[in-house]
Amino acid sequence: MNRFLRCLPKAATPLVITITIAMGATPVMAAQSAPALPQMGFNNWNSTHCRPAFNEKMIRGIANKFISLGLRDAGYRYVNIDDCWANWKRDKNGRLEANPKRFPSGIKALADYIHSKGLKFGLYSSAGTSTCQPLEENRGFPGGLGHEKQDAATFASWGVDYLKYDNCNNQNVPALKRYTAMAEALRATGRPIFFSVCEWGENKPWLWAGKPPVDAGSWRTTGDISDNYASMLKNFKQNVVLAKYATPGHWNDPDMLEVGNGGMTDVEYRSQFSLWSIMAAPLLIGTDLRTIKPDALKILLNKDVIAVDQDPLGVQGRQVSDTNGIHVIVKPLEGGSEAVAVFNETDTARKVSISASEIDLKKGMNYRFRNLWTHRARTGDGSIKIDLPAHATAMYRISRL
Ligand code: GLA
């Protein structure tokens, strides 16, 4: 194998790499940050926020659970930590430091531990003078604005594989400028660090964040999700209409999963997992895996649904209809199959009929339908008739017979 391609992470697409070899010059491997498929992993924010429960013991425990619960085998890779990991102040050389109470062994030791499990490690900062939380004692945690080169070098020296870069305290510096500065600083380290832009959709990041010079792997399209149906629905609706802006390695991000956190029913959590997957969204688990209930774990381990999110074609599903609270989304898959999700947004059970042509299928042909939640298959002419409970989503993989 070409020695430059050998330095790429497994999931990378060689197509996105530019290698310039000048006569007599040393060949340079362009640092690249975007795996081709939506990132899968964990982030502590939705389960802990800044509570003291967020500490190195927890994160090591989560990494262990990735292995023992089969999450690594199902494709989850990143163990990411969110706001409140840092010390209040930079050190005397201006370097970021870990909060000594929460992470007494330091961030490098944590990253090493996570890497030893065959996993990747992600960190959080903000493209502002301080991060979003908390304003305790009138001070926030230091942000990256104006410190991009030093912070990126620190992250690389710690073995960081992923940076979520938030938007608080941005001093009204234009977003493109702020996110470009960090993207360039990360690339300059030579370490592939996935760049996750988190400016909540404020500056239409779908128009610029996926392209050079930022070239981020994903960008948030919404405000923060909360663990309730209304919030999940709102983020879904904002994200589903942005399908055309997602391309392989550059994803719309409607925020993290709430599955398992207890504020929604399992029907609603199955909807979140289905909708996020058909939208080729990042699948970042937001619940404490050390105490997860079997039903929630079953949702997160549904390999048929994960395969839709991770389909190599890398296309975000397109909403083909949104009528009276019934949403139909179609995602083309590699090999000519497609996935279809039918979501009943309303508070009452509904009988739904969908014709073959509505979901981009030819009439008069025979198809195999695999129901991705019951795992049962049937054949049919391409039309769908179902009884959908309130807030439920049915999901199929459909192939020509
Ligand atoms: C913002 C982000 C959240 C989380 C918090 C942390 O609100 O959008 O996802 O990272 O900051 O303070």
Side-chain angles (χ1 to χ4, degrees), residues 350-364:
R350 299 280 292 275
K351 282 190 186 313
V352 182
S353 291
I354 300 165
S355 69
S357 58
E358 259 181 278
I359 50 173
D360 303 342
L361 298 176
K362 284 205 182 92
K363 278 192 180 151

Side-chain angles (χ1 to χ4, degrees), residues 69-203:
L69 297 176
L71 291 155
R72 185 182 64 182
D73 290 345
Y76 294 93
R77 278 290 173 280
Y78 290 101
V79 177
N80 296 348
I81 64 176
D82 211 281
D83 204 352
C84 307
W85 65 266
N87 207 355
W88 295 108
K89 279 199 200 141
R90 293 172 177 273
D91 75 6
K92 60 178 186 327
N93 300 314
R95 249 170 87 102
L96 290 170
E97 287 186 311
N99 183 303
K101 275 204 191 129
R102 294 179 193 265
F103 295 96
S105 316
I107 299 300
K108 169 110 178 44
L110 183 62
D112 288 348
Y113 183 79
I114 287 166
H115 292 151
S116 77
K117 302 277 167 194
L119 300 169
K120 288 175 178 280
F121 173 65
L123 202 58
Y124 162 100
S125 185
S126 179
T129 45
S130 57
T131 70
C132 299
Q133 300 277 327
L135 284 176
E136 255 171 37
E137 302 170 38
N138 287 325
R139 52 188 181 173
F141 299 109
L145 189 63
H147 296 265
E148 293 85 356
K149 286 193 180 126
Q150 184 177 24
D151 289 357
T154 303
F155 300 152
S157 75
W158 286 342
V160 169
D161 304 300
Y162 182 120
L163 179 68
K164 170 177 174 179
Y165 204 39
D166 213 335
N167 193 31
C168 285
N169 304 303
N170 61 45
Q171 312 303 323
N172 296 321
V173 178
L176 181 60
K177 192 170 171 205
R178 290 180 290 118
Y179 287 93
T180 298
M182 184 51 91
E184 286 178 344
L186 291 173
R187 281 192 290 269
T189 68
R191 184 180 174 84
I193 299 179
F194 184 94
F195 192 34
S196 152
V197 167
C198 176
E199 58 74 91
W200 322 312
E202 274 194 347
N203 306 278

Side-chain angles (χ1 to χ4, degrees), residues 44-56 58-59 82-85 99 101-103 133-134 136 141 227 258 261 286-288 290:
N44 67 284
W45 183 253
N46 287 351
S47 67
T48 62
H49 288 203
C50 275
R51 288 188 291 277
F54 168 48
N55 58 35
E56 67 183 33
M58 172 194 186
I59 302 303
D82 211 281
D83 204 352
C84 307
W85 65 266
N99 183 303
K101 275 204 191 129
R102 294 179 193 265
F103 295 96
Q133 300 277 327
E136 255 171 37
F141 299 109
D227 186 20
E258 290 285 4
N261 281 335
T287 198
D288 188 340
R290 297 167 308 165

Side-chain angles (χ1 to χ4, degrees), residues 279-298:
M279 294 192 295
L283 296 179
L284 292 172
I285 298 169
T287 198
D288 188 340
L289 292 166
R290 297 167 308 165
T291 51
I292 191 169
K293 302 232 165 64
D295 286 349
L297 182 63
K298 218 172 142 193

